[in-house]
Amino acid sequence: MYFLLFGFWVLLNGKWTTEIAIVGVIVTVALYAFMCAFMDYSPKKEWQIAKRFFKIAGYFFYLVGEIFKSAWGTMVLIWSPDKEIEPRVTSFRTRLRTDAGKVVLANSITMTPGTITVDVEDDLFLIHCLDNSFDVGNDGFEMEDRIMVIEGGHASAPTVSTPDDESPAAEVAPVISESEEKEATKDE
């Protein structure tokens, strides 16, 4: 991380002089020390991330591909007059262990057009899908499997449930608009 910070310093300055190099060394040492002291950063964590660099880069390219495929599917769905859109809310329990992995999964789902991560509570994800074809449980869930590989876990069959299921994971509260909520409170 130190070398990345120093390289960024040089890049922002746009030229190389002795003064810029000396000030850059001092500033990046101070910033790196601050990160280690107050942001729970350590060279050990840095090395763990560096060992996973190619897996992370592979996931990035996979995600870009999924965004384009999902964008194309969304355009076809919206612009086709004969197709009926069937939005749904679905939930599933993730097998990811780390908070960082869960955040990456939630953001990845939201970045793909046609799906939005509505809520994440512990291991339960609540997802709004524009159509049944965008449901994360239809063909397994490769996105979660790929993040598990980056975490160092193993990929296996997904655990998916929908609000139509009778499992506790699928208990989804109905969406109530503000006007309906005001009317309900007036009646009480």
Side-chain angles (χ1 to χ4, degrees), residues 14 16 44 58 67 80 99 118 120-121 176 187:
W16 179 266
K44 182 180 178 182
I67 289 170
S80 297
D99 288 339
V118 178
V120 178
E121 190 170 319
I176 300 174
D187 292 338

Side-chain angles (χ1 to χ4, degrees), residues 13-142:
N13 281 291
K15 58 184 175 180
W16 179 266
T17 64
T18 307
E19 295 84 20
I20 290 175
I22 292 170
V23 172
V25 167
I26 294 168
V27 168
T28 53
V29 163
L31 185 59
Y32 190 76
F34 176 83
M35 290 170 55
C36 289
F38 298 107
M39 298 177 72
D40 195 31
Y41 191 79
S42 70
K44 182 180 178 182
K45 289 181 182 180
E46 183 176 315
W47 178 245
Q48 291 173 348
I49 293 171
K51 288 192 305 188
R52 297 178 183 154
F53 175 77
F54 292 109
K55 292 178 184 177
I56 293 169
Y59 180 76
F60 173 76
F61 289 115
Y62 161 78
L63 181 61
V64 169
E66 288 297 307
I67 289 170
F68 280 110
K69 286 194 298 188
S70 184
W72 179 256
T74 302
M75 286 189 329
V76 168
L77 183 68
I78 291 172
W79 289 100
S80 297
D82 58 333
K83 291 190 179 185
E84 188 174 324
I85 297 175
E86 299 176 22
R88 69 181 300 158
V89 174
T90 184
S91 64
F92 70 94
R93 291 204 179 273
T94 184
R95 299 173 320 246
L96 297 173
R97 298 174 299 197
T98 63
D99 288 339
K102 292 174 187 176
V103 168
V104 168
L105 179 61
N107 287 328
S108 297
I109 291 170
T110 300
M111 287 174 66
T112 53
T115 56
I116 296 175
T117 305
V118 178
D119 190 23
V120 178
E121 190 170 319
D122 296 326
D123 292 341
L124 183 66
F125 279 64
L126 185 64
I127 310 296
H128 179 272
C129 305
L130 182 63
D131 191 58
N132 288 337
S133 61
F134 293 109
D135 190 353
V136 296
N138 283 349
D139 300 321
F141 199 33
E142 184 180 357

Side-chain angles (χ1 to χ4, degrees), residues 52 55 95 97 145 147-156:
R52 297 178 183 154
K55 292 178 184 177
R95 299 173 320 246
R97 298 174 299 197
D145 293 341
I147 295 171
M148 283 186 73
V149 169
I150 293 171
E151 277 187 338
H154 65 291
S156 61

